[in-house]
Amino acid sequence: MTSRRLDRVRRAVEAAAAREGFALDADQSALLDRLVRLGDELAGARRRPVRGLYVWGPAGRGKSWLAGAFYAAVAAGLPAGAATRVHVYDLFRALHAAIHAQRVSALAGPRPAVGQGGPTRGWRTRATAPVAEPTPPGPSENSPEPRPGAVDSAIDGLLRGTTLLCLDELHLHDTGDATLLTRLLRRAFATGVVVLATSNYEPGTLLPNPLWHHVAEPGIALLRAHLDVVELAGPTDYRTLGGRGRAGFAAGAWLRPGTTAQLGARGLRRPGADEATAVRTGSRTFPVAAARAGELWVAFDDLAGRPTSTLEYLDWSVRFPRWVVTDVPLLTSVDREAQQRFVAVVDVLVDADVELVVTSPHALTTFRTALPDRPDAFRTASRLQLLTEDAGDTVPADDVPRV
């Protein structure tokens, strides 16, 4: 990249920061230097392979923001479709959906008779060949593992035409996802795709559960072999500055206790009993207090107390640009599954930049400091600081919404 092109990328990122009202600090500027060099190698005609970048560090340091601003500046200079940026939740959702589609397509097509070759030959009678990397516990009979061909086809579909793949908020707590990531990375690096990843976790701490960490080790080895690992350190969690006056998630609020007046001040109208309905994702339905045009109202117990998943949250984040989650308790008072679901909700809504309004009997500071020791809860504590807190005045108990 010429000096002019180097300056263009740098100026584009710094201008994006200025538009949002801040300047890069020293650690962020040092990371931008490294990102600019990556852009140089991507744009230049280089014979040697381009090493990607793995950026990790504490929550709220601006890793995702910097990667996004860099991505926007560099993608403009690449052929259409050559750059892809995906959040880890969307990545695994897309891969699982593509694998399922491959399986359905294979089952729908003609299949040779047993003994005539093809996929039925010996499938149920012979053990599978050993694989190179460790595998998680086998799936249940009700959810058979997809054949390797389906996985490879799904990965190839995701990577087709890609030069730069940005993986945002990379974290692993599931052995199946760890195995998929390893296969994705192996294919990406074999075909010359350059990877830029952001994470709160140093590569060696991905999938931290010591019982299953070995499943992630092949992928970790690939990350270290093909990416430069850079920590974005520094003392400031920029989310402590709040999100007042901004759009998307940062335009949201934490309302305590969530009175009619507090809601009305934000242009919100508490749903009536006749608005109770259900929202559908795939073949499943879920009760909600209201599903208005662009606005979802749901009680915490219905959102996190029921067996919902990131699949639903991702779907609803597209359909509803504003969520109102009511009656949010301290997470220490609910079970571990509900705790993890709420953590996932916040992750998905931040990434989709969906406005979140919470009503709770507890102050935001109390909620944040009482978060249990759950995977990624530290990130939730940081992200919730983007919300404006309205503690209201002392109100009669019968004015507190129960939606």
Side-chain angles (χ1 to χ4, degrees), residues 87-133:
H87 189 277
V88 65
Y89 285 129
D90 287 311
L91 170 69
F92 291 127
R93 179 183 67 161
L95 284 175
H96 286 298
I99 291 167
H100 176 72
Q102 292 283 340
R103 293 180 60 207
V104 170
S105 176
L107 290 172
R111 304 182 69 184
V114 174
Q116 300 299 313
T120 60
R121 184 178 180 183
W123 185 10
R124 299 183 186 277
T125 58
R126 290 203 301 267
T128 58
V131 294
E133 64 267 13

Side-chain angles (χ1 to χ4, degrees), residues 218-284:
I220 293 169
L222 288 168
L223 290 170
R224 294 193 188 280
H226 295 273
L227 278 62
D228 291 337
V229 178
V230 177
E231 181 182 8
L232 179 55
T236 305
D237 178 345
Y238 283 98
R239 296 188 184 114
T240 61
L241 305 181
R244 292 171 174 78
R246 296 175 62 185
F249 186 88
W254 185 282
L255 307 181
R256 177 172 64 97
T259 65
T260 300
Q262 286 176 308
L263 293 167
R266 303 192 66 83
L268 295 168
R269 175 179 56 83
R270 190 187 309 172
D274 60 338
E275 290 187 83
T277 186
V279 291
R280 177 182 291 273
T281 294
S283 61
R284 304 178 68 201

Side-chain angles (χ1 to χ4, degrees), residues 90-305:
D90 287 311
L91 170 69
F92 291 127
R93 179 183 67 161
L95 284 175
H96 286 298
I99 291 167
H100 176 72
Q102 292 283 340
R103 293 180 60 207
V104 170
S105 176
L107 290 172
R111 304 182 69 184
V114 174
Q116 300 299 313
T120 60
R121 184 178 180 183
W123 185 10
R124 299 183 186 277
T125 58
R126 290 203 301 267
T128 58
V131 294
E133 64 267 13
T135 56
S140 69
E141 292 182 358
N142 294 328
S143 57
E145 184 179 4
R147 301 174 189 177
V151 177
D152 294 339
S153 296
I155 291 172
D156 286 345
L158 176 71
L159 296 178
R160 187 170 295 116
T162 300
T163 299
L164 173 65
L165 176 63
C166 295
L167 302 178
D168 200 22
E169 298 290 354
L170 183 59
H171 59 274
L172 293 173
H173 301 296
D174 179 85
T175 54
D177 289 344
T179 302
L180 269 182
L181 178 67
T182 297
R183 296 181 71 160
L184 170 71
L185 292 173
R186 182 173 292 122
R187 185 63 176 161
F189 297 138
T191 55
V193 175
V194 179
V195 174
L196 168 62
T198 67
S199 180
N200 293 127
Y201 297 86
E202 195 275 336
T205 62
L206 292 170
L207 193 58
N209 187 323
L211 293 176
W212 303 116
H213 178 73
H214 66 279
V215 179
E217 288 176 348
I220 293 169
L222 288 168
L223 290 170
R224 294 193 188 280
H226 295 273
L227 278 62
D228 291 337
V229 178
V230 177
E231 181 182 8
L232 179 55
T236 305
D237 178 345
Y238 283 98
R239 296 188 184 114
T240 61
L241 305 181
R244 292 171 174 78
R246 296 175 62 185
F249 186 88
W254 185 282
L255 307 181
R256 177 172 64 97
T259 65
T260 300
Q262 286 176 308
L263 293 167
R266 303 192 66 83
L268 295 168
R269 175 179 56 83
R270 190 187 309 172
D274 60 338
E275 290 187 83
T277 186
V279 291
R280 177 182 291 273
T281 294
S283 61
R284 304 178 68 201
T285 57
F286 304 87
V288 298
R292 300 167 179 163
E295 191 174 279
L296 178 69
W297 287 70
V298 59
F300 177 91
D301 286 344
D302 288 328
L303 178 65

Side-chain angles (χ1 to χ4, degrees), residues 3 12 17 24 46 64 67 81 104 146 158 166 203 268 302 319 327 335 350 356 367 400:
S3 175
L24 302 182
R46 300 297 180 97
S64 293
V104 170
L158 176 71
C166 295
L268 295 168
D302 288 328
R319 295 158 58 186
D327 302 322
D335 62 36
V350 169
L356 172 64
F367 180 88
V400 178

Side-chain angles (χ1 to χ4, degrees), residues 366-377:
T366 303
F367 180 88
R368 290 179 56 253
T369 55
L371 281 172
D373 184 17
R374 299 293 297 149
D376 302 317

Side-chain angles (χ1 to χ4, degrees), residues 71-90:
Y71 172 86
V74 169
L78 294 175
T84 300
R85 186 181 183 212
V86 62
H87 189 277
V88 65
Y89 285 129
D90 287 311

